[in-house]
Amino acid sequence: MQWSMQNDVLTPPASSPSPRPPRGRPREFDRQVALAAATRLFWIRGYEATSIADLTETMGIGTKSLYAAFGSKDELYAEALKYYYTTYEGLVWTRFRTASTAKDAALAFLQDSAIAMTGGDIDLPHGCMATLATVGSEGHSELGELMRATRASGFDLLKARFDRAKSDGDLEATADTTKLARFVQIVQSGMAIRARDGADRAELHAVAEIALSGWDNITGNIDHSKQGKA
């Protein structure tokens, strides 16, 4: 190849072809951006309805790159579920963790769930990915167990908070914190279904308020001195 000097600058000949990248090099992409895209797609469609072709198109990568980076569809979904929880859990649990009473914590959890499950003011898909996630049982036992464990972690947070309320005297010593945590979790699960079906934030906030309107009766926090009085 012949090079020439022009204005004291060494330049290649005009006909010189541009260098080609080595063959076999995988396509480069931002793994975190691709994971976020896969998470959103799984969130909207669910596991079963999302194909590898759907994923590669949404993530902007080839099939070989997907398998090389994430392993399998199951492994990608598991990582997406973890990404979902770690990225968005603060939308639901931040006020819950700082609430001064168990009732305030439960109300914050349900109210903030309503906000997050109706877009969260940042154009999130509606509903809760962890609550609404389902996979066929055949051949996906590990993934199914992961989703159950993810949902169980929410129950554990609720129960731990209500147990602390009993120790602090905020709840009666006879309060059944297991049933209370399950009740609040089930209300939130129903809200997730309604959000996916198109319920707006006002409807879900109303559900939260009605669900907890009987808090004292549910928990046993009743002023017995007022019983029997007109």
Side-chain angles (χ1 to χ4, degrees):
M1 180 182 297
Q2 298 295 316
W3 293 67
S4 62
M5 291 292 294
Q6 296 181 7
N7 298 325
D8 297 325
V9 177
L10 187 64
T11 60
S15 60
S16 176
S18 59
R20 296 179 179 179
R23 291 183 178 180
R25 177 178 293 176
R27 178 180 177 182
E28 295 182 359
F29 63 95
D30 188 318
R31 192 180 189 280
Q32 197 73 355
V33 170
L35 177 59
T39 301
R40 186 179 179 89
L41 186 62
F42 279 134
W43 189 345
I44 294 171
R45 294 190 180 182
Y47 175 88
E48 297 290 359
T50 302
S51 67
I52 292 295
D54 294 331
L55 288 166
T56 55
E57 180 179 358
T58 298
M59 298 165 74
I61 62 176
T63 303
K64 290 184 179 179
S65 294
L66 185 151
Y67 286 121
F70 299 100
S72 66
K73 182 182 175 183
D74 278 22
E75 289 174 293
L76 173 57
Y77 189 89
E79 191 168 343
L81 194 61
K82 181 179 179 181
Y83 175 86
Y84 165 82
Y85 189 80
T86 56
T87 302
Y88 301 111
E89 65 95 23
L91 297 177
V92 172
W93 296 104
T94 297
R95 285 203 308 137
F96 169 87
R97 292 189 174 101
T98 59
S100 59
T101 68
K103 182 179 181 179
D104 287 344
L107 186 59
F109 169 69
L110 294 179
Q111 288 178 333
D112 290 349
S113 292
I115 294 172
M117 293 188 299
T118 54
D121 300 326
I122 50 175
D123 191 31
L124 297 175
H126 286 203
C128 172
M129 180 178 173
T131 299
L132 301 177
T134 58
V135 296
S137 59
E138 185 176 353
H140 304 288
S141 58
E142 291 185 5
L143 192 57
E145 181 56 37
L146 173 63
M147 289 188 290
R148 285 189 291 273
T150 300
R151 289 189 286 265
S153 67
F155 168 81
D156 292 340
L157 286 172
L158 290 166
K159 186 177 186 306
R161 179 62 183 85
F162 299 153
D163 284 340
R164 179 159 64 86
K166 284 179 68 172
S167 299
D168 295 343
D170 177 38
L171 289 178
E172 293 286 338
T174 55
D176 189 328
T177 58
T178 297
K179 291 181 180 178
L180 183 59
R182 191 65 72 196
F183 167 74
V184 174
Q185 183 187 42
I186 290 173
V187 171
Q188 195 242 22
S189 297
M191 290 167 60
I193 295 173
R194 284 294 303 137
R196 179 58 60 87
D197 287 346
D200 62 19
R201 192 168 302 175
E203 176 185 322
L204 300 186
H205 275 164
V207 168
E209 292 174 3
I210 292 171
L212 298 185
S213 62
W215 178 265
D216 290 341
N217 285 324
I218 294 170
T219 61
N221 284 14
I222 300 173
D223 187 347
H224 296 286
S225 66
K226 295 183 180 179
Q227 289 184 327
K229 294 183 179 181

